[in-house]
Amino acid sequence: MKIYPAFLSFLFITIFISPSVSDHCNAQDKKVLLKIKKALGNPYLLASWDPKTDCCDWYCLECHPNTHRVVSLTLFSDDRLTGQIPPEVGDLPYLETLLFRHLPNLNGTIQPAIAKLKNLKMLRLSWTNLSGPVPNFLSQLKNLTYLDLSFNNLSGSIPSSLSTLPNLEDLHLDRNKLTGTIPESFGMFPSKKLYLFILSHNKLSGTIPASLANMDFNTIDLSRNLLEGDPSVLFGPNKTTFEIDLSRNVFQFDLSKVQFPKSLARLDLNHNKITGSIPAGLTDLELQFMNVSYNRLCGQIPVGGRLQSFDYSTYFHNRCLCGAPLDTCK
């Protein structure tokens, strides 16, 4: 049988050249990823990370469609993954997303090498056993839009330097052991608007910084802390806030003097020391949820809007509230 030169060329390319042509993965990125796998004890989660295959096809990561550099590393939901965040994560310079989530045996502190990831937009380290402080070096990540450090064992105070992040939109520091006050600088975020501002379930104390009057949050959750004083600066008729949860603190202020955003749909103020009466302005809002129970409110519940659509548990355990859905005023 006659074998044509063209066929031989095709055979040569198929056997010897094609594998390297099809491997789009950057060689340095691949080397770094394999170091990360080894540092984490070669977990089953990373079983697809085979050095003989294209790393852009591996699970738990994404490559840029044009440059083929690794832009996303997402490790989650594996009880068998143990150890600390490997310092090699800082050697993936094009990372835009870094996620370690639902990894209960991931321990240690937040890896300082993360500060090298200047292109990072999303950092999510949550539902782990990470401890230590919220590090100052996070303020070096100027492209960050989403920061989630929730459901960990982080302690210490919140660094004021986070307010220098020019593009931050969502901040989650909830479900930790953070202490101290909310930084005054948090009223000075460059954008003047954060979508999510979640600091609940910590041990934060002190008053709400007056500077927060400058901010317009979509959702504020400061519940289950030790915060006190008057948080009225979080409200205001010109804001576009959708949800405010200040429950289970020791706030003490006159609710009747508060002006609410017209956009407010969810309001939770239960278990505080709030006085005054329920303002009639709340009847103008399209409220989906409200709870003002366990306070020191008095007077008749205004009639109208959605206020009578909530049951008695929304209002009970106050000093002398009355009117539907509670007992008739005497």
Side-chain angles (χ1 to χ4, degrees):
M1 184 179 73
K2 186 176 181 180
I3 301 177
Y4 294 95
F7 177 76
L8 289 174
S9 299
F10 172 77
L11 195 62
F12 179 81
I13 290 171
T14 302
I15 296 173
F16 297 104
I17 298 178
S18 292
S20 60
V21 170
S22 64
D23 193 349
H24 296 123
C25 179
N26 177 270
Q28 181 58 29
D29 285 355
K30 190 174 197 177
K31 184 178 179 181
V32 169
L33 290 168
L34 291 171
K35 287 182 179 180
I36 291 172
K37 179 183 179 182
K38 183 178 180 181
L40 293 172
N42 298 306
Y44 180 75
L45 180 66
L46 305 181
S48 69
W49 290 22
D50 183 344
K52 296 178 182 178
T53 60
D54 185 350
C55 80
C56 291
D57 295 330
W58 294 352
Y59 292 156
C60 303
L61 61 86
E62 292 180 17
C63 292
H64 191 277
N66 297 323
T67 66
H68 308 297
R69 299 304 299 261
V70 175
V71 293
S72 175
L73 179 62
T74 57
L75 308 183
F76 56 91
S77 300
D78 188 350
D79 294 348
R80 293 165 292 185
L81 189 149
T82 61
Q84 303 183 8
I85 298 175
E88 287 82 5
V89 296
D91 297 327
L92 295 169
Y94 292 90
L95 267 190
E96 296 179 7
T97 297
L98 179 61
L99 182 150
F100 284 79
R101 191 165 188 261
H102 281 288
L103 302 171
N105 295 311
L106 186 73
N107 53 50
T109 59
I110 295 175
Q111 174 56 243
I114 290 174
K116 299 193 296 184
L117 301 173
K118 303 305 182 184
N119 291 300
L120 204 61
K121 295 179 181 178
M122 172 185 280
L123 178 60
R124 192 168 195 178
L125 311 175
S126 61
W127 295 84
T128 76
N129 200 26
L130 290 174
S131 58
V134 176
N136 263 305
F137 64 70
L138 295 177
S139 64
Q140 300 174 34
L141 303 174
K142 299 302 183 184
N143 286 305
L144 209 60
T145 62
Y146 187 99
L147 177 59
D148 181 2
L149 304 178
S150 63
F151 289 86
N152 292 301
N153 288 309
L154 302 176
S155 58
S157 59
I158 300 173
S160 61
S161 59
L162 292 182
S163 65
T164 64
L165 291 169
N167 298 300
L168 194 66
E169 297 175 359
D170 295 341
L171 178 62
H172 299 254
L173 300 177
D174 49 304
R175 305 267 181 173
N176 281 290
K177 300 174 182 178
L178 300 175
T179 56
T181 60
I182 298 173
E184 184 74 29
S185 66
F186 273 25
M188 304 170 194
F189 280 95
S191 67
K192 299 299 180 188
K193 184 176 179 67
L194 290 186
Y195 192 78
L196 298 176
F197 183 60
I198 315 295
L199 307 181
S200 65
H201 293 78
N202 280 291
K203 299 178 181 178
L204 299 173
S205 59
T207 59
I208 300 298
S211 64
L212 289 189
N214 302 323
M215 297 296 297
D216 188 9
F217 304 105
N218 176 275
T219 298
I220 308 167
D221 188 353
L222 307 179
S223 63
R224 293 180 183 266
N225 279 289
L226 304 170
L227 298 165
E228 58 187 18
D230 186 351
S232 297
V233 295
L234 299 174
F235 300 90
N238 297 321
K239 298 193 177 186
T240 60
T241 308
F242 175 81
E243 178 174 2
I244 298 178
D245 188 347
L246 306 178
S247 62
R248 294 182 182 271
N249 281 283
V250 283
F251 289 123
Q252 191 167 3
F253 63 103
D254 187 340
L255 186 63
S256 62
K257 296 180 180 180
V258 173
Q259 291 185 294
F260 295 94
K262 294 179 181 179
S263 55
L264 191 66
R266 299 181 64 85
L267 176 65
D268 196 344
L269 303 174
N270 78 79
H271 285 84
N272 280 286
K273 297 180 179 181
I274 302 169
T275 58
S277 58
I278 295 177
L282 284 176
T283 61
D284 298 328
L285 304 182
E286 293 293 326
L287 289 170
Q288 300 172 10
F289 174 85
M290 186 174 83
N291 192 342
V292 294
S293 64
Y294 291 91
N295 279 291
R296 300 174 180 181
L297 297 169
C298 274
Q300 182 171 357
I301 298 169
V303 176
R306 301 294 307 280
L307 297 190
Q308 276 66 50
S309 69
F310 304 118
D311 64 24
Y312 78 101
S313 64
T314 292
Y315 304 102
F316 71 168
H317 287 279
N318 273 286
R319 183 164 288 167
C320 46
L321 273 183
C322 59
L326 300 180
D327 294 340
T328 304
C329 296
K330 296 179 182 180

